[in-house]
Amino acid sequence: MSQYSSAEVLERVLAAPLVPVFFHADAAYARRVVQACYEGGIRVFEFTNRGANAFEVFGQLQRYVREHLPEMLLGIGTIYTAAQAEQFISAGADFVVQPIMTTDVAEACHRHDVAWVPGAMTLTEVYNAQQLGAGLVKIFPGNVLGPDFIKSLRGPMPTVKLMVTGGVEPTEASLTEWFGAGVNVVGIGSQLFKGADDVAVIAPRIAPLMQFLTSRAS
């Protein structure tokens, strides 16, 4: 189980608003990637449930994080069913992210007081996610919807906390565009890890982005 309440996790995610979205079937490589992200300033990491051995790798990552990376939150993404949510929550997931929104996953997360981040693509879905208790809603796919969608959504929904995934590039220009449009958190996947067979390139790539976000928030 997570060491933190859903409210604590949400507060920490909003304070560290760049979230890597990552899967790799090799646990040793995944540990090196998470470590490199931590060294670059990342404090929230989403491992995705996208491979046959995702649960086993996640379990190893969670143990490593708790022992070596005390400030890191490790969550699980690409969750579709309550059974999947329960499985990863039992392994210590600090938050659960969906590409869609399902009531059974919402109920599983609420039952364990684990932060639930459902996916939404329309204003109706965003509203329904809030009604089901989501403190943070994932806008996906961001590359299809674009920053202008966020600007339009902010008219009728100025206070909902939003995380966008897809279409965010690891550049100051892209971060400025998305945060300027009104998102609270960004998730970055393959763009963040492009050419990162050598994990030594990850921390130097991330550090200036985190510094930029820190300076922008101050």
Side-chain angles (χ1 to χ4, degrees):
M1 297 291 292
S2 176
Q3 304 174 78
Y4 310 103
S5 69
S6 58
E8 289 172 322
V9 168
L10 178 59
E11 182 179 359
R12 291 177 60 177
V13 172
L14 294 172
L18 194 161
V19 180
V21 179
F22 175 82
F23 171 79
H24 200 280
D26 182 81
Y29 178 74
R31 284 196 302 271
R32 292 197 298 273
V33 167
V34 174
Q35 176 71 49
C37 287
Y38 192 79
E39 292 170 1
I42 293 295
R43 292 298 180 265
V44 183
F45 193 100
E46 178 188 333
F47 188 76
T48 58
N49 181 31
R50 294 185 180 175
N53 66 334
F55 180 70
E56 290 74 17
V57 176
F58 180 86
Q60 294 185 49
L61 281 181
Q62 184 58 278
R63 289 190 291 273
Y64 181 81
V65 164
R66 288 192 175 178
E67 183 174 353
H68 299 285
L69 312 177
E71 297 178 14
M72 180 75 90
L73 295 178
L74 181 66
I76 186 66
T78 319
I79 295 297
Y80 289 97
T81 68
Q84 291 173 331
E86 293 277 2
Q87 182 184 37
F88 282 95
I89 288 170
S90 71
D94 290 313
F95 56 92
V96 172
V97 183
Q98 295 193 268
I100 58 171
M101 175 179 56
T102 58
T103 56
D104 61 340
V105 171
E107 290 166 356
C109 292
H110 295 332
R111 187 160 52 247
H112 297 286
D113 195 22
V114 170
W116 171 58
V117 186
M121 194 179 178
T122 68
L123 272 68
T124 297
E125 290 172 349
V126 173
Y127 176 79
N128 288 340
Q130 284 189 291
Q131 294 299 106
L132 287 172
L136 178 66
V137 180
K138 169 181 169 177
I139 299 299
F140 178 79
N143 57 308
V144 173
L145 297 168
D148 284 343
F149 173 78
I150 303 297
K151 293 177 184 177
S152 297
L153 182 153
R154 280 304 183 201
M157 296 182 175
T159 60
V160 59
K161 305 301 183 185
L162 299 174
M163 170 180 172
V164 66
T165 302
V168 184
E169 297 178 5
T171 65
E172 291 185 7
S174 182
L175 294 178
T176 297
E177 186 174 29
W178 282 105
F179 281 98
V183 302
N184 303 96
V185 184
V186 295
I188 309 182
S190 58
Q191 291 285 339
L192 193 61
F193 302 105
K194 188 176 292 184
D197 293 335
D198 178 3
V199 297
V201 307
I202 295 175
R205 181 179 296 171
I206 289 172
L209 300 177
M210 297 303 292
Q211 291 166 5
F212 171 72
L213 290 176
T214 300
S215 64
R216 192 176 184 278
S218 61

